[in-house]
Amino acid sequence: MGLCYARAMRDGRLGVGTDAMEAALAAARAAAARGEVPVGAVVVGPGGAVLAAAGNDVEAGCDAAAHAELIAMRAAAARLESARLSECDLVVTLEPCAMCAAAAGLFRVRRIVFGAYDPKGGGVEHGARVFATSPHIHQPEIVGGVREAECAALLRAFFAERRSSPKR
């Protein structure tokens, strides 16, 4: 599926991927409404169904590791009663950080699909480049830039609003 899958995702021709990214965007919007950084993630199972969806929960949970990806992967693993998600895809609105990328490797996800690239905090295509520098870790297929403009716009709007609001 490799390159053809990546092209189909970017062109919006793959229904499962676009539906999954829509679910991730909905989770990101819900996170923003709660005052969280708007990142959403879903885990899609082997049959194409969304097994779990989550948004960031760092502030509400007082947990710096409560990233959408980790929450969604944990929930999907619990639902499948398995520590491995080897036939599953992780779909997330922002390039995963190094922590989440490493966790995706440990969960053995088949594919990571993300929307916006993150030059400052990303750990897949930027920063630590977890999969490029860790040959011992599982290497999922990576598809970046899916609905990139929409995912990036959500983040920009959130931070623009934060900057213009009086400090709390």
Side-chain angles (χ1 to χ4, degrees):
M1 282 169 87
L3 190 53
C4 292
Y5 180 86
R7 283 190 191 122
M9 289 290 292
R10 286 192 183 105
D11 295 344
R13 291 182 278 126
L14 190 65
V16 171
T18 55
D19 290 347
M21 186 58 81
E22 184 56 43
L25 279 160
R29 290 182 196 106
R34 296 189 313 271
E36 300 283 350
V37 173
V39 176
V42 299
V43 175
V44 179
V50 172
L51 298 176
N56 274 358
D57 200 36
V58 171
E59 303 304 327
C62 299
D63 180 355
H67 291 196
E69 301 96 310
L70 286 177
I71 298 167
M73 288 187 291
R74 286 175 178 155
R79 183 170 175 184
L80 293 175
E81 298 180 343
S82 172
R84 304 287 180 263
L85 301 171
S86 58
E87 297 299 316
C88 300
D89 297 342
L90 173 64
V91 180
V92 60
T93 57
L94 181 65
E95 176 183 349
C97 69
M99 173 184 68
C100 292
L106 294 171
F107 274 103
R108 307 282 195 270
V109 298
R110 174 179 58 184
R111 181 180 300 118
I112 298 173
V113 177
F114 66 87
Y117 289 87
D118 188 357
K120 291 182 181 177
V124 176
E125 300 285 336
H126 297 89
R129 297 179 195 253
V130 170
F131 303 111
T133 59
S134 301
H136 64 282
I137 196 168
H138 169 74
Q139 304 280 324
E141 179 182 351
I142 306 297
V143 180
V146 177
R147 295 178 71 174
E148 179 180 6
E150 189 175 356
C151 293
L154 183 60
L155 287 156
R156 276 194 305 276
F158 176 82
F159 287 113
E161 183 179 322
R162 288 286 177 159
R163 285 190 293 275
S164 66
S165 297
K167 300 283 183 200
R168 296 180 214 197

